[in-house]
Amino acid sequence: MEEGASVSVYVAAPLCAGAKREIGRQGDRVGEVRVRPVCLAPSEGGGRIDLAVIGANARRATQDTSTVGYIGETDPRATRFSSTILESAGIAQLSGMSGRAAMARLVEAIEAAGNADNLREVVADEIAGG
C-alpha cells in the first residue's frame, strides 16, 4: 500500500456515528493509511428490512476498489443477504457489534496488515482468523 493511501469502510446507517467516532480517535489514520468511513443508506424501517437497499449498499462497497471492510446491518437476516455479495469481492464484513467496536476491530486488522499490497485481502484474512 502506498504511503498516504486512502481506504474506505462502508458502514450501516445506525452504526455510522459510532464508527466515525472510533476512527476519529485515531485521527482518521492507521499508520500511513487514511481510513474513510462511508455511511450507507438506511435499510431498516418500521421493523422491516429492505433487501433492495441492502443489496445496493453491498454492491456499492464492492464497486469501490478502496474498500477494505463493511460494518453490516444490525439484523442477522440482512447480514446473511449482504454477506453473499461481499464475500464474492473478498470484503470483510463485521456484524453483531457496535459501530465503535467493529471499527476498532478493522483498525486492528489494518494495523496488522502493515504495508501489504492487497490490503483488502489481508484485512479479510485477519478478520476471518481473529
Side-chain angles (χ1 to χ4, degrees):
M1 175 85 19
E2 285 186 33
E3 186 175 320
S6 184
V7 297
S8 300
V9 174
Y10 284 77
V11 186
L15 304 175
C16 206
K20 281 184 167 183
R21 274 193 303 278
E22 181 61 27
I23 196 59
R25 288 179 352 108
Q26 308 280 332
D28 297 336
R29 295 187 121 13
V30 178
E32 296 298 321
V33 177
R34 180 176 175 264
V35 179
R36 183 177 65 98
V38 179
C39 298
L40 294 166
S43 60
E44 300 176 35
R48 302 178 60 116
I49 60 172
D50 186 334
L51 293 179
V53 172
I54 294 164
N57 285 343
R59 282 187 297 283
R60 180 177 172 201
T62 65
Q63 293 168 350
D64 180 348
T65 59
S66 73
T67 302
V68 296
Y70 187 95
I71 299 174
E73 297 80 9
T74 56
D75 187 300
R77 297 170 297 165
T79 299
R80 281 193 305 275
F81 186 73
S82 60
S83 68
T84 58
I85 297 166
L86 297 166
E87 285 173 8
S88 70
I91 297 172
Q93 180 176 22
L94 292 125
S95 59
M97 60 183 77
S98 70
R100 186 206 60 76
M103 183 61 82
R105 179 67 186 105
L106 275 168
V107 164
E108 289 173 6
I110 294 168
E111 285 174 338
N115 290 332
D117 287 334
N118 190 345
L119 193 58
R120 178 186 286 185
E121 182 180 319
V122 176
V123 167
D125 289 346
E126 183 71 25
I127 295 295

